[in-house]
Amino acid sequence: MAVQQAMALGRARDERLRAVAWAMLGLVLLVLSAGAGSLISGAIADEEAFLAARPCVETEASASRGTEDCLRTIRATVLSAQNAKSGPKAVDVFQVRLRTPVPAPADQPFNLDSNGDLAYLVEPGEEVEVTTWRDVQVSVRQDGVSETLPGLPDESTMYVGLTLVMVWTAAWAFIAAFGSARRARCHTKGRPVTPRVGFGRPKAVAGAVVVVPLAVSFLSLTLWDAWAAAAMAVAISALVAVPTTYAALRWDRDE
């Protein structure tokens, strides 16, 4: 009897440690989600400003170079144009450099699609038109052929998706902490450890249903798609979490 009690107390101690670990993980995820969430408003503002941008007038472009919210067109001569590798994955690109002096950000090399039309048209010594917005290179144009460059302000949907994923993961971490704490109490009091809410097929299906809007928000192309997915995630999470939590609190009572 004493041996069984000692073993039960040891299992209770292990479950308490797991509960603390899960709770700490949940807190870390909440902090990270708050950091990602704090970037959403700024990303939305940048995206809205970019979408509302209009071509610069000459006086506006010369008065506030590099900080204007209008689209500035820079005509410059190509210094070099060659195939290159870009990024940690060494992606094939067609890298172009402009002959100085040119205003920022056109003074930085930019990468075109290695199989795009401009890759077969642009050559050193020719003139191209580079459109910029603030410190972002937007597009390149030559002889009526244009190509949009990567890196435009469209990160708001990504931040929404990251925030939702981390919040949802934190919720599951706290649920796991609750389960470990409950099992520790059961071991301490000598009660049988029986699951009050099973992690069987119903929960697996519910989790899969919630994962869908999270994935949509992360991969969506427009901000409205992301917020619609966020609303879906909140609604479905509430439908799953509220009854489950109520049932766990009601059933998990001392006999």
Side-chain angles (χ1 to χ4, degrees), residues 42-247:
I44 292 174
D46 288 343
E47 187 173 349
E48 289 178 343
F50 173 71
L51 294 176
R54 295 295 180 266
C56 297
V57 297
E58 196 63 31
T59 55
E60 184 181 11
S62 60
S64 56
R65 288 186 181 276
T67 59
E68 67 275 7
D69 277 336
C70 56
L71 297 171
R72 180 158 51 106
T73 299
I74 301 169
R75 293 176 177 84
T77 303
V78 176
L79 175 64
S80 65
Q82 59 189 359
N83 293 318
K85 300 287 186 179
S86 176
K89 295 184 179 180
V91 179
D92 291 328
V93 297
F94 186 71
Q95 190 173 84
V96 178
R97 291 178 180 269
L98 301 181
R99 183 175 297 167
T100 57
V102 287
D107 58 344
Q108 300 297 317
F110 49 85
N111 298 327
L112 300 175
D113 185 356
S114 61
N115 295 317
D117 293 335
L118 286 180
Y120 299 98
L121 293 176
V122 175
E123 294 181 357
E126 296 185 347
E127 187 177 82
V128 296
E129 295 180 353
V130 180
T131 301
T132 65
W133 176 81
R134 294 184 182 177
D135 59 347
V136 178
Q137 296 169 332
V138 177
S139 63
V140 179
R141 182 182 180 89
Q142 184 191 42
D143 297 335
V145 180
S146 179
E147 181 175 326
T148 301
L149 298 174
L152 302 184
D154 58 355
E155 297 178 340
S156 54
T157 56
M158 180 186 68
Y159 291 134
V160 171
L162 286 175
T163 302
L164 288 172
V165 168
M166 285 185 285
V167 168
W168 181 248
T169 309
W172 281 107
F174 287 124
I175 291 174
F178 170 81
S180 294
R182 175 184 170 275
R183 287 189 292 273
R185 291 198 305 271
C186 291
H187 287 308
T188 301
K189 296 180 179 181
R191 293 164 50 191
V193 181
T194 55
R196 298 301 186 183
V197 181
F199 283 84
R201 292 182 180 179
K203 275 197 172 182
V205 173
V209 170
V210 176
V211 166
V212 172
L214 295 180
V216 170
S217 68
F218 189 75
L219 300 174
S220 59
L221 299 178
T222 67
L223 186 62
W224 293 113
D225 291 340
W227 283 118
M232 289 172 56
V234 171
I236 297 174
S237 300
L239 290 175
V240 174
V242 172
T244 302
T245 303
Y246 174 79

